Amino acid sequence: MKPKNLARWSAVLAACTLSLTATLAVAAEPLKVGLVLPMSGPFSSYGKHIENGARLYLQQTGGVFSGRKVELIIKDDTGVAPEISKRAAQELIVKDKVDVLAGFGLTPSAFAVAPIATQAKTPMIIMNAATSSITTKSDYILRVSHTLPQDTAPIASWAAQNKIKKVYTLVADFGPGHDAEAQFKKTFTAAGGEVIGEVRTPVKNPDFAPFLQRIRDAKPEAVFLFLPPGEQTIAFMKGFEERGMGKAGIRIIATGDLTSEDLIDAMGNNALGVVNSFHYSEAHNSPENKAYVQAYYKAYPGYRPNFMSVSGYDGMQLIAKTLEKTGGDASGDKFVAAAKGMSWTSPRGPISIDPQTRDIIQTIYIRKVERVGGKLQNVEFDEVPNFKDPGKQ
């Protein structure tokens, strides 16, 4: 072989060896996933369910993705505290050197961290926060949860189709509430309905009494409701019943976080008959969900699987499937490119990542709260398959 050719092949061999060495080194390193979640405070159940779902997926897969052992590092941002969320993300990237950021129970948290993900070129996976515009705040954001417009439009259409003509809207005064209110009004009025009143309530510690009285006095056929799941939804349902609003002929229609499985038992019979639209129900009839529900109850006795737990589960599933495509490489640009268009069957049904918006495409179900086998459940009776976020259309 000529010296020139020998030198060329030696260079090629050296480059291949270097590339292989780098690939093996990446594969040997642990994969660090930093979860920014509300683990204390009024929204602590969000963090717990998301963590539960994430850990269940790790348990089922042996905790190794594409040859890399997965380490979860959790930072508590306490809820609606964007500065704490920002600080937590900075620590995860600078100190803990995480490969992926994930979690984000509420919108202010996601907004605060988006610039950090951009600067660090770190993938950021939204496991709950539901304001439509979140994915526009960084090219490194992917969402496996839902958006409020996505969950709202189907219930607005259902209401109009089922002879509900006059509705009063009540939403929490922050991003997701604004999205829900705007989408409901847009879809409902386009279908011939009328919004006869609207109110936005404080995100923290609202007193529902004056709002409930205002709604009763307006005499709508229904009230459309969005509140952060938890104490507020339970308080609203209790006040609604105490004021006899149901007996006065006012119905509740809502997004399905109102009757989330971790809350519905506390609502009791007040929840019966509520019609809502959402992307996950414990009662969803599929082999994947039956297996998921059984595994969840076994792993976490005393907890009911809900939409947040499924988002934690699917967030980890997205990471695992993406690394299969990249050969274990979690660097931001490669990860996001590989994740776009990804599809799989979740416990909630078929889902995919929109290659244009990096948002989730999924089936939205119309459900009614019924008692099934002695347990309150969101029973699905209609669906809108492959539904994109209408907030971006």
Side-chain angles (χ1 to χ4, degrees), residues 118-132:
T118 300
Q119 185 177 12
K121 296 185 177 182
T122 300
M124 176 176 166
I125 299 174
I126 306 297
M127 294 178 171
N128 188 58
T131 299
S132 178

Side-chain angles (χ1 to χ4, degrees), residues 55-75:
R55 291 198 184 279
L56 181 59
Y57 188 79
L58 289 179
Q59 175 188 316
Q60 292 178 343
T61 56
V64 177
F65 295 170
S66 298
R68 301 181 67 177
K69 181 175 175 56
V70 180
E71 294 181 7
L72 287 187
I73 304 171
I74 298 176
K75 298 285 187 181

Side-chain angles (χ1 to χ4, degrees), residues 24-136:
L24 291 173
V26 168
E29 292 175 1
L31 180 81
K32 295 184 179 182
V33 179
L35 294 179
V36 179
L37 291 170
M39 302 302 296
S40 62
F43 302 104
S44 60
S45 65
Y46 293 24
K48 187 59 182 174
H49 278 286
I50 291 170
E51 180 191 0
N52 284 353
R55 291 198 184 279
L56 181 59
Y57 188 79
L58 289 179
Q59 175 188 316
Q60 292 178 343
T61 56
V64 177
F65 295 170
S66 298
R68 301 181 67 177
K69 181 175 175 56
V70 180
E71 294 181 7
L72 287 187
I73 304 171
I74 298 176
K75 298 285 187 181
D76 178 15
D77 67 2
T78 73
V80 187
E83 284 304 314
I84 298 178
S85 303
K86 182 178 180 180
R87 214 162 42 240
Q90 288 170 332
E91 288 181 8
L92 285 167
I93 289 174
V94 176
K95 181 181 175 184
D96 299 301
K97 302 189 184 307
V98 299
D99 300 283
V100 179
L101 289 168
F104 310 103
L106 292 115
T107 289
S109 170
F111 280 164
V113 175
I116 297 170
T118 300
Q119 185 177 12
K121 296 185 177 182
T122 300
M124 176 176 166
I125 299 174
I126 306 297
M127 294 178 171
N128 188 58
T131 299
S132 178
S133 63
I134 287 173
T135 53
T136 70

Side-chain angles (χ1 to χ4, degrees), residues 4 19 131 198 304 308 320:
K4 185 182 289 186
S19 175
T131 299
E198 54 195 79
R304 291 182 67 173
M308 295 188 196

Side-chain angles (χ1 to χ4, degrees), residues 357-376:
T357 66
R358 289 164 281 107
D359 244 315
I360 190 165
I361 303 171
Q362 59 191 333
T363 300
I364 304 299
Y365 306 91
I366 310 296
R367 309 104 54 85
K368 184 177 182 180
V369 178
E370 299 177 4
R371 198 170 288 279
V372 180
K375 181 186 290 188
L376 290 171

Side-chain angles (χ1 to χ4, degrees), residues 108-375:
S109 170
F111 280 164
V113 175
I116 297 170
T118 300
Q119 185 177 12
K121 296 185 177 182
T122 300
M124 176 176 166
I125 299 174
I126 306 297
M127 294 178 171
N128 188 58
T131 299
S132 178
S133 63
I134 287 173
T135 53
T136 70
K137 302 303 180 183
S138 172
D139 291 340
Y140 294 91
I141 292 178
L142 300 146
R143 178 159 24 205
V144 294
S145 52
H146 61 121
T147 77
L148 259 299
Q150 187 179 48
D151 280 326
T152 298
I155 194 63
S157 297
W158 179 89
Q161 292 162 8
N162 284 271
K163 300 180 180 179
I164 296 175
K165 299 297 183 185
K166 295 183 177 182
V167 172
Y168 204 111
T169 65
L170 183 146
V171 302
D173 191 10
F174 74 135
H178 302 166
D179 274 4
E181 178 188 73
Q183 188 64 52
F184 184 88
K185 289 166 65 176
K186 179 180 178 181
T187 304
F188 188 61
T189 56
E194 180 185 359
V195 175
I196 64 170
E198 54 195 79
V199 66
R200 294 178 176 180
T201 61
V203 177
K204 295 183 179 179
N205 307 316
D207 175 10
F208 289 114
F211 305 126
L212 285 163
Q213 189 58 50
R214 197 183 310 172
I215 293 169
R216 184 178 174 119
D217 291 344
K219 299 180 180 179
E221 294 169 334
V223 55
F224 168 74
L225 182 67
F226 169 75
L227 294 168
E231 297 173 1
Q232 292 192 28
T233 50
I234 295 170
F236 180 91
M237 295 296 287
K238 182 180 178 182
F240 188 89
E241 179 66 21
E242 287 175 349
R243 283 163 180 76
M245 295 173 72
K247 293 178 182 177
I250 302 173
R251 302 177 64 176
I252 292 176
I253 53 177
T255 52
D257 30 18
L258 173 68
T259 56
S260 176
E261 283 75 10
D262 58 319
L263 303 172
I264 199 169
D265 292 329
M267 295 178 185
N269 290 337
N270 293 342
L272 285 169
V274 171
V275 177
N276 58 82
S277 56
F278 216 43
H279 57 281
Y280 176 73
S281 169
E282 181 188 347
H284 178 64
N285 186 18
S286 74
E288 292 81 8
N289 189 51
K290 288 177 180 178
Y292 176 76
V293 169
Q294 184 178 17
Y296 197 88
Y297 275 115
K298 183 178 179 181
Y300 310 109
Y303 286 91
R304 291 182 67 173
N306 70 351
F307 69 99
M308 295 188 196
S309 70
V310 167
S311 288
Y313 187 86
D314 281 329
M316 299 309 292
Q317 194 161 191
L318 173 63
I319 295 171
K321 290 180 177 297
T322 300
L323 292 189
E324 287 176 14
K325 288 181 67 175
T326 66
D329 188 343
S331 57
D333 292 315
K334 286 186 179 179
F335 186 99
V336 171
K340 289 179 179 179
M342 187 79 72
S343 64
W344 67 95
T345 301
S346 159
R348 67 185 104 172
I351 62 176
S352 63
I353 302 299
D354 189 318
Q356 278 73 49
T357 66
R358 289 164 281 107
D359 244 315
I360 190 165
I361 303 171
Q362 59 191 333
T363 300
I364 304 299
Y365 306 91
I366 310 296
R367 309 104 54 85
K368 184 177 182 180
V369 178
E370 299 177 4
R371 198 170 288 279
V372 180
K375 181 186 290 188

